[in-house]
Amino acid sequence: MSGALTRLQWLALALTVHLVMVAGEFFEPFNVTYDHRALIIDGNRRMLISAGIHYPRATPQMWPDLIAKSKEGGADVIQTYVFWSGHEPVREQYNFEGRYDIVKFVKLVGSSGLYLHLRIGPYVCAEWNFGGFPLWLRDVPGIEFRTDNAPFKEEMQRFVKKIVDLMLEEMLFSWQGGPIIMLQIENEYGNMESSYGQRGKDYVKWAATMAIGLGAGVPWVMCKQVDAPEFVIDACNGYYCDGFKPNSYKKPVLWTENWDGWYTIWGGRLPHRPVEDLAFAVARFFQRGGSFQNYYMFFGGTNFGRTSGGPNYITSYDYDAPLDEYGLLRQPKWGHLKDLHAAIKLCEPALVAVDSPQYIKLGPMQEAHVYNSEGQTLTWSGNNSRCSAFLANIDEHKAVSVTFLGQAYTLPPWSVSILPDCRNVAFNTAKVGAQTSIKTVAFDLPQSTNVYVPRRLMIQNEVPHISEAWMTIKEPIGAWNENNFTAQGILEHLHVTKDRSDYLWYITRVYVSDDDISYWEESEVTPVLTIESMRDLVRIFVNGQLTGSAAGRWVKVVQPVQLVQGYNDLVLLSQTVGLQNYGAFFEKDGAGFRGQINLTGFKNGDMDLSKSLWTYQIGLKGEFLEIYAVDEHEKAGWTDLTPDAIPSIFSWYKTHFDAPDGTDPVVLNLGSMGKGQAWVNGHHIGRYWTKVAPKNGCQRTCDYRGPYNSGKCATNCGQPTQIWYHVPRSWLQTSNNLLVMFEETGGNPFEISINTRSTRTICGRVSESHYPPLRMWSNPDFISGKLSINDTTPEMQLQCEDGHTISSIEFASYGNPQGSCQRFSRGNCHAPKSKSVVAQACQGRNSCVIGISNAVFGGDPCRGGVKTLAVEARCKPASSIGSLAME
Ligand code: GAL
């Protein structure tokens, strides 16, 4: 049994295989250890940038591109959680296929030359359904999650060992020649520990000891765990982690989650974290002694199917990450971070050579940290790569001039300047040189995909709707098959559904006498249904009619109802919208109803329905017959849907559509629908809900200065939170794709459109005073001192997405242009050649570089003042430009 091998035995096995294979599959086998300063990789301390990507939030077809774009953006490491619920949906029935093919993912990371940080958990939080735990775990007799509980520990150990053994078998640990350099056990348990008393403390020790005992042979971390045992590294999570100190001087400062954005709830605004602040946080971290920093998320992706946690997390997990939900570069975020990473890498030799930096106070809110491997006397002696410094201005309001080693530096507010040689500025976190990209959906709609496009606008832009031929079928209200059962009282929702569906029907009958009717008429009383407490959503049907709905987390529902004499059918549809993924004892939270359900206002007093007989029906008929499946859908009794049909609740819709041409990511616009779920060719693309964000709470401009929180810089107020849904290309065929939707509230399928998303507009704005391109630092003349930083020219780089080229220059001005992307205008200083110079350099190319100097633009357009170049350009798919040229 492979799992029983000790680390030594594995090493022996690896050595044997090594002889045959010459080396591990991806790297020469190397060891990973650590000291107080950094992780030590193959004997060398390293400063590491890590990119968070959760493999099931993308398709395997997307993985290579996501990993490549992370690497190009400067990542050394890819970080992911392991998703237990996806790997073991049924106890001891494992799934490592498709989006859950973790071995393939890890191997792709390795083959691209990156390392991997595997956070096994197996509790992961992650806005993932049930925090990553499979639902069956709840039903293990005597279980209590995440505490010193024997059944839980047994299950947890079994799964963690399963994953470690799998990685061992596949030779994926560093010492086997694989990419895995670090693991994680548990997740932020420190936030919950006190709720569990002594048992919590014992659990921490057990989890750490158990993990180490699995013989993985690389370091383990526990994030947010101040009492992590000495052999496990406690790491920081948050928006800022500079100043974080692990619980022992022997451990390095690791930042496992730098939240570069935030998640979103249905009916919420869209969060945005400005890149100037994000870069500030990262630079401060390395400035103050940090050595490993991971972006949570570098790519957030999509919660396909019903994987999103909750309550109420949306299908998109875009996270405002440097790579957007579809894997496209989010600019200037991606580009500015790329520059930051390059600057930090220039400092790496000095950073790793010094045990701790020298601190110099530069002003009341300004400070320098100097990494000088030459000793503590700081006298300038030419370009010296063994001295690197970070100068910070933590003043939120003002730019400040400081003197450092006899030189003057101006530091913008809330910024860090990075000086790889302790003299020249390679990068400042507040000075963005990277381009901006504006994403649009196809047909050149003027909005980004985050903006709701009303029907009127779409007609003007002639967006073709997905289909004129829709079919429909009604979903029965209440019981639909003989497998339903009747029980007395209110059963807990998850106990019944086991999360096989969001939906659980509670069905009962209420008798109303003549006396009640006359009492209501005389006293003008209406009977009221009261549910003491409910989550996440309930729909109330009386005699087949939808009477009311309510949403919330453990809220009271009070619903007046119209009843008739005799028997009345009362149907409550309880719905989950993503299971709880956070909080102590969250497995005990359950779902559905709590407390009493009463009908009040009767002549003879209230009716306590909590003690009545209820019939239980799990899920939807269409769901269980899989009428969304390619092989099954034709068996259902669909009828044609006519355009004048009244929008109808609880209906299924289906159509077929052709895939958009090209390779751009495909999105479905469900802005005309209400709430439901959608499938394409049998793949569950997720829940949809056109719930609108509050009207207020969005700022017109986003000020990067000062500490970030998820409410700052939000957008999308008064608009549906999500209308665009990702349909991965690999789920589509050229034509005749099956789209099936289940709609609860009654939308209009005729207005659904299918589009592609891409960057159509790119902008740059760089001034003469910007720092030179980072590649200058590897120029031999610069290294030897022949070339000074003042002799070099800053540059603007513009790039369209892969497969796209710059088709036109909409605006270009070298001088003192005003405004920002899509709103540039000329100032009173303008070089007449601006547009022709830029067009010459860029048009017809995927990317271009333009020097920012008078020489490039045919002389100084006006004396004095710093000149700036602003450009707005269009990108088009390379093929479409080709065909245009042929016409
Ligand atoms: C952290 C947690 C992550 C994720 C994040 C918010 O506390 O560890 O898994 O939930 O919050 O996106």
Side-chain angles (χ1 to χ4, degrees):
M1 279 271 299
S2 55
L5 295 183
T6 64
R7 196 192 156 204
L8 261 179
Q9 287 169 311
W10 272 108
L11 206 56
L13 184 70
L15 277 176
T16 322
V17 177
H18 184 80
L19 290 179
V20 182
M21 295 169 58
V22 182
E25 204 181 337
F26 305 107
F27 300 92
E28 281 292 328
F30 61 98
N31 277 327
V32 183
T33 56
Y34 57 87
D35 66 7
H36 74 282
R37 180 66 189 103
L39 289 180
I40 299 174
I41 307 243
D42 205 10
N44 301 310
R45 283 182 182 164
R46 290 296 312 276
M47 294 292 119
L48 295 170
I49 302 292
S50 168
I53 299 175
H54 296 155
Y55 50 93
R57 285 178 157 143
T59 57
Q61 291 77 5
M62 292 167 71
W63 293 342
D65 184 53
L66 299 174
I67 296 166
K69 284 171 172 166
S70 305
K71 185 176 182 180
E72 201 192 329
D76 311 289
V77 182
I78 300 291
Q79 184 204 69
T80 182
Y81 281 129
V82 177
F83 296 86
W84 189 359
S85 56
H87 292 301
E88 199 180 352
V90 178
R91 193 167 180 276
E92 289 193 277
Q93 289 182 23
Y94 295 101
N95 170 25
F96 292 103
E97 303 290 314
R99 285 187 292 123
Y100 293 95
D101 191 346
I102 186 172
V103 168
K104 183 174 188 175
F105 181 77
V106 177
K107 287 185 173 173
L108 280 170
V109 171
S111 62
S112 67
L114 297 183
Y115 302 133
L116 188 98
H117 178 206
L118 195 65
R119 304 171 86 196
I120 303 181
Y123 167 73
V124 297
C125 192
E127 290 71 71
W128 191 264
N129 198 47
F130 217 40
F133 285 148
L135 245 284
W136 55 258
L137 195 64
R138 227 176 143 250
D139 294 332
V140 172
I143 202 156
E144 266 185 283
F145 289 5
R146 304 178 75 201
T147 187
D148 186 17
N149 166 277
F152 177 76
K153 291 193 299 188
E154 203 173 295
E155 295 297 333
M156 168 163 164
Q157 176 162 1
R158 191 174 53 78
F159 181 71
V160 176
K161 182 167 160 36
K162 172 92 191 169
I163 295 299
V164 169
D165 286 349
L166 180 62
M167 298 300 132
L168 283 167
E169 273 158 35
E170 298 283 347
M171 311 277 289
L172 293 174
F173 288 102
S174 67
W175 52 273
Q176 300 175 299
I180 303 176
I181 56 165
M182 194 157 67
L183 297 163
Q184 176 178 300
I185 192 76
E186 251 296 341
N187 188 75
E188 294 193 338
Y189 188 68
N191 291 359
M192 299 300 137
E193 194 172 332
S194 62
S195 309
Y196 295 91
Q198 184 57 41
R199 294 171 69 212
K201 292 187 185 152
D202 295 345
Y203 169 66
V204 171
K205 286 200 198 102
W206 169 82
T209 313
M210 180 275 285
I212 294 285
L214 297 175
V218 296
W220 287 82
V221 300
M222 292 183 97
C223 57
K224 286 207 177 180
Q225 195 66 59
V226 286
D227 59 350
E230 51 163 308
F231 47 86
V232 167
I233 309 168
D234 55 320
C236 184
N237 290 347
Y239 290 119
Y240 305 91
C241 279
D242 59 291
F244 170 78
K245 291 211 170 22
N247 63 7
S248 148
Y249 184 67
K250 294 185 183 141
K251 299 178 188 178
V253 181
L254 311 184
W255 189 358
T256 32
E257 290 181 26
N258 178 0
W259 302 322
D260 48 21
W262 201 241
Y263 57 84
T264 312
I265 57 166
W266 296 113
R269 308 167 188 92
L270 301 180
H272 298 284
R273 184 172 183 191
V275 71
E276 296 92 331
D277 170 64
L278 179 59
F280 173 76
V282 176
R284 288 289 285 157
F285 178 72
F286 285 100
Q287 167 166 20
R288 298 183 67 193
S291 60
F292 171 100
Q293 182 269 153
N294 172 70
Y295 294 98
Y296 188 99
M297 305 294 304
F298 201 76
F299 162 82
T302 309
N303 296 309
F304 295 113
R306 299 189 303 112
T307 60
S308 74
N312 286 322
Y313 300 149
I314 68 170
T315 293
S316 167
Y317 199 62
D318 179 272
Y319 221 84
D320 198 36
L323 300 178
D324 75 7
E325 178 176 1
Y326 312 95
L328 303 177
L329 305 187
R330 171 167 281 119
Q331 295 283 36
K333 210 168 211 175
W334 182 87
H336 192 51
L337 295 178
K338 177 182 175 169
D339 292 346
L340 165 71
H341 302 150
I344 292 171
K345 279 287 135 68
L346 290 171
C347 304
E348 190 175 9
L351 293 181
V352 297
V354 172
D355 279 340
S356 58
Q358 189 193 354
Y359 171 84
I360 302 175
K361 196 168 169 63
L362 302 174
M365 281 192 270
Q366 292 74 35
E367 60 185 25
H369 288 74
V370 184
Y371 291 84
N372 178 17
S373 60
E374 304 278 85
Q376 295 298 309
T377 34
L378 282 174
T379 45
W380 179 248
S381 57
N383 285 342
N384 180 357
S385 65
R386 274 174 295 174
C387 182
S388 294
F390 294 75
L391 314 187
N393 177 15
I394 51 184
D395 188 320
E396 292 175 30
H397 306 289
K398 297 192 302 286
V400 173
S401 288
V402 295
T403 307
F404 172 69
L405 298 185
Q407 288 239 128
Y409 298 86
T410 303
L411 305 175
W414 199 254
S415 82
V416 177
S417 281
I418 300 180
L419 286 57
D421 59 359
C422 281
R423 186 182 177 86
N424 293 300
V425 178
F427 181 86
N428 176 279
T429 56
K431 291 189 181 167
V432 179
Q435 74 181 39
T436 303
S437 297
I438 311 287
K439 313 266 176 41
T440 50
V441 287
F443 311 104
D444 280 337
L445 289 182
Q447 271 86 356
S448 85
T449 59
N450 289 338
V451 178
Y452 178 57
V453 184
R455 166 101 169 117
R456 186 174 37 82
L457 227 163
M458 296 173 104
I459 291 172
Q460 280 170 7
N461 285 281
E462 291 176 16
V463 173
H465 296 126
I466 190 164
S467 175
E468 300 305 321
W470 282 90
M471 302 192 88
T472 187
I473 191 168
K474 286 291 286 178
E475 173 66 29
I477 304 297
W480 51 263
N481 92 347
E482 58 285 358
N483 286 341
N484 59 54
F485 64 93
T486 300
Q488 191 179 10
I490 302 296
L491 303 179
E492 190 266 314
H493 179 118
L494 293 177
H495 182 69
V496 182
T497 64
K498 311 291 181 202
D499 200 33
R500 280 184 291 153
S501 165
D502 281 0
Y503 306 96
L504 178 59
W505 301 93
Y506 291 70
I507 305 149
T508 195
R509 274 193 164 179
V510 179
Y511 185 76
V512 171
S513 67
D514 277 342
D515 283 358
D516 290 319
I517 300 281
S518 19
Y519 168 67
W520 292 336
E521 280 168 4
E522 282 158 24
S523 55
E524 290 183 12
V525 166
T526 311
V528 173
L529 177 79
T530 314
I531 301 171
E532 201 173 310
S533 186
M534 168 304 294
R535 71 173 290 181
D536 301 325
L537 214 158
V538 63
R539 302 202 191 277
I540 300 165
F541 299 84
V542 178
N543 297 325
Q545 295 300 309
L546 179 64
T547 305
S549 300
R553 174 156 183 230
W554 300 126
V555 291
K556 185 170 180 175
V557 181
V558 179
Q559 176 66 49
V561 289
Q562 297 287 337
L563 301 175
V564 294
Q565 197 273 313
Y567 283 103
N568 290 265
D569 288 327
L570 180 64
V571 175
L572 307 181
L573 176 60
S574 166
Q575 302 181 25
T576 52
V577 190
L579 301 190
Q580 191 73 26
N581 59 263
Y582 185 71
F585 312 108
F586 77 88
E587 78 274 25
K588 300 201 167 99
D589 207 38
F593 308 123
R594 268 186 197 166
Q596 286 204 323
I597 299 185
N598 279 319
L599 261 180
T600 58
F602 284 81
K603 189 173 181 190
N604 298 327
D606 300 347
M607 248 188 231
D608 180 1
L609 301 181
S610 340
K611 302 207 171 63
S612 305
L613 281 181
W614 291 83
T615 296
Y616 289 85
Q617 173 74 62
I618 303 168
L620 308 171
K621 184 175 178 189
E623 208 178 2
F624 280 75
L625 296 180
E626 298 189 351
I627 66 171
Y628 50 79
V630 176
D631 302 338
E632 298 296 326
H633 74 103
E634 274 169 359
K635 295 180 196 152
W638 299 93
T639 56
D640 288 338
L641 181 71
T642 54
D644 54 359
I646 300 155
S648 156
I649 64 166
F650 285 81
S651 299
W652 291 83
Y653 297 110
K654 80 159 177 173
T655 194
H656 286 89
F657 65 95
D658 294 345
D661 292 341
T663 54
D664 289 338
V666 175
V667 286
L668 207 48
N669 181 345
L670 301 182
S672 66
M673 303 302 286
K675 178 183 180 293
Q677 296 178 32
W679 291 260
V680 171
N681 294 333
H683 298 276
H684 195 330
I685 66 166
R687 298 187 186 94
Y688 66 84
W689 196 352
T690 322
K691 203 170 174 186
V692 175
K695 283 214 170 63
N696 50 13
C698 294
Q699 297 83 23
R700 204 168 284 159
T701 54
C702 170
D703 188 344
Y704 77 88
R705 297 172 300 173
Y708 177 74
N709 63 66
S710 62
K712 201 175 158 183
C713 299
T715 60
N716 211 48
C717 285
Q719 307 285 347
T721 305
Q722 183 175 1
I723 61 167
W724 301 99
Y725 293 83
H726 185 200
V727 184
R729 277 273 176 195
S730 59
W731 292 355
L732 291 171
Q733 56 211 25
T734 316
S735 60
N736 211 31
N737 294 288
L738 172 68
L739 169 64
V740 177
M741 332 218 349
F742 171 66
E743 169 58 51
E744 291 170 24
T745 62
N748 184 354
F750 289 105
E751 292 193 12
I752 292 174
S753 62
I754 188 108
N755 308 87
T756 57
R757 180 180 156 107
S758 66
T759 296
R760 292 302 175 97
T761 298
I762 56 176
C763 292
R765 189 192 170 93
V766 179
S767 86
E768 272 180 314
S769 63
H770 199 75
Y771 35 79
L774 284 144
R775 63 179 153 68
M776 193 264 314
W777 290 80
S778 50
N779 182 328
D781 287 346
F782 181 73
I783 294 167
S784 70
K786 264 193 232 160
L787 184 73
S788 115
I789 205 139
N790 299 328
D791 309 326
T792 57
T793 310
E795 287 175 353
M796 176 184 289
Q797 283 199 29
L798 293 173
Q799 180 159 26
C800 300
E801 293 285 345
D802 291 348
H804 293 243
T805 41
I806 297 170
S807 57
S808 64
I809 306 299
E810 301 295 307
F811 178 90
S813 178
Y814 177 74
N816 63 348
Q818 313 292 306
S820 56
C821 188
Q822 294 187 306
R823 275 180 291 271
F824 285 133
S825 62
R826 278 185 202 175
N828 53 13
C829 172
H830 170 77
K833 280 189 169 178
S834 301
K835 203 162 176 175
S836 61
V837 168
V838 176
Q840 178 87 36
C842 301
Q843 214 152 308
R845 300 203 165 88
N846 168 259
S847 69
C848 58
V849 175
I850 310 146
I852 316 292
S853 72
N854 292 340
V856 172
F857 288 92
D860 193 348
C862 49
R863 292 247 172 81
V866 177
K867 270 42 137 225
T868 296
L869 172 66
V871 176
E872 177 177 331
R874 290 266 177 282
C875 296
K876 287 248 164 75
S879 54
S880 77
I881 294 181
S883 59
L884 268 182
M886 280 162 59
E887 274 164 18

